[in-house]
Amino acid sequence: MIKSIEATGKTIDAAIEAGLVELGMTRDEVSVEVLENPKSGFLGFGAVPAKVLLSYEVIETKDEKVVQFITGLLRHMGSDAEPEIVSKTEKNIEVHLKGENLGMLIGRRGDTLDAIQHLTNYSVNRGEDKRIRVTVDAENYRAKREESLQRLATKVAGKVVKYRKNITLEAMNAFERHVIHATLQDYEDVTTYSTGTEPNRRVVVAYSKYKSVPEKK
């Protein structure tokens, strides 16, 4: 990101020096554009100082990139919500959206939230050698959704064992399917696998006496 400041002085060199002092930088770290040459005036009246524009490059951190991108995206969506980084590691950043009317940012079954998360990951990691994973949440939706899916998985597994009949769940995204698979991985007499293609991929909860090829994705 390129940033710049204006600085003034009696001479162009003095204006540049004033700007460098303000920035705490050296001459080699900035580019200079002369905006206005100094004028001495007449008998000391009407004097005009030199004015220069000092430009310099700011290396953004991943944190700053994430916050800047999400903020811009939210404004484009007409939302005043603000992103807040709640945890971070070398490979992961978790962001929670704060503000009013967050329902529109969550969307039906979290589809809008997933879209925001996908776009953020694409933008932040584009052209980078080291990728990070950004998770975006609002109103603790993802934790609530995970708990709901765990209850659903257990309930369905009970029916599968009772009636010895496979049950195919509604279409789910990769995160939701993973929750179902993980919840039932040790459930007695039950196995799970995925079937279909995105975005209509579904989890099948099957009675374990039936042959199936689990594809837990």
Side-chain angles (χ1 to χ4, degrees):
M1 176 185 292
I2 302 298
K3 291 189 175 182
S4 59
I5 66 166
E6 291 183 3
T8 59
K10 288 185 177 181
T11 65
I12 291 176
D13 287 341
I16 293 173
E17 183 61 28
L20 293 176
V21 170
E22 181 177 345
L23 292 173
M25 292 180 165
T26 65
R27 181 64 180 82
D28 293 336
E29 295 176 299
V30 301
S31 60
V32 177
E33 177 184 353
V34 177
L35 300 178
E36 193 168 355
N37 287 305
K39 296 178 182 178
S40 58
F42 179 71
L43 298 178
F45 296 99
V48 176
K51 182 185 292 186
V52 297
L53 182 72
L54 275 61
S55 300
Y56 56 99
E57 184 177 2
V58 176
I59 305 301
E60 293 179 308
T61 65
K62 286 290 179 68
D63 293 16
E64 292 172 330
K65 286 185 177 181
V66 167
V67 170
Q68 183 181 41
F69 178 81
I70 295 179
T71 299
L73 182 59
L74 294 178
R75 297 300 174 267
H76 184 73
M77 296 170 66
S79 171
D80 291 328
E82 297 288 345
E84 178 182 317
I85 294 177
V86 296
S87 68
K88 62 179 179 179
T89 64
E90 186 177 345
K91 296 182 178 180
N92 296 278
I93 295 178
E94 183 177 354
V95 180
H96 286 186
L97 305 183
K98 305 291 185 179
E100 303 294 330
N101 302 317
L102 296 180
M104 64 169 284
L105 300 179
I106 296 174
R108 181 179 178 274
R109 285 179 47 200
D111 56 354
T112 305
L113 201 60
D114 287 341
I116 294 172
Q117 179 173 292
H118 174 76
L119 290 171
T120 302
N121 276 279
Y122 175 78
S123 175
V124 171
N125 289 305
R126 182 173 54 187
E128 296 286 342
D129 294 329
K130 293 184 178 180
R131 298 178 62 85
I132 61 168
R133 175 174 174 77
V134 181
T135 302
V136 182
D137 201 357
E139 295 183 339
N140 207 28
Y141 169 80
R142 297 197 184 282
K144 294 176 183 177
R145 178 62 174 162
E146 183 172 355
E147 292 174 1
S148 175
L149 288 169
Q150 289 170 341
R151 291 194 298 269
L152 172 66
T154 303
K155 181 179 179 180
V156 170
K159 290 183 178 180
V160 167
V161 172
K162 181 177 180 180
Y163 299 110
R164 300 187 177 186
K165 181 179 179 180
N166 296 356
I167 296 178
T168 302
L169 302 180
E170 63 181 347
M172 296 180 179
N173 60 36
F175 164 76
E176 294 172 327
R177 296 195 305 270
H178 172 74
V179 173
I180 299 296
H181 292 312
T183 302
L184 299 181
Q185 62 182 350
D186 296 322
Y187 200 103
E188 190 174 358
D189 295 331
V190 164
T191 188
T192 62
Y193 61 94
S194 296
T195 185
T197 57
E198 300 289 3
N200 296 311
R201 198 158 172 77
R202 302 165 183 267
V203 174
V204 177
V205 183
Y207 189 55
S208 60
K209 76 173 184 179
Y210 299 124
K211 271 191 174 182
S212 60
V213 180
E215 191 175 347
K216 301 182 178 182
K217 295 182 179 179

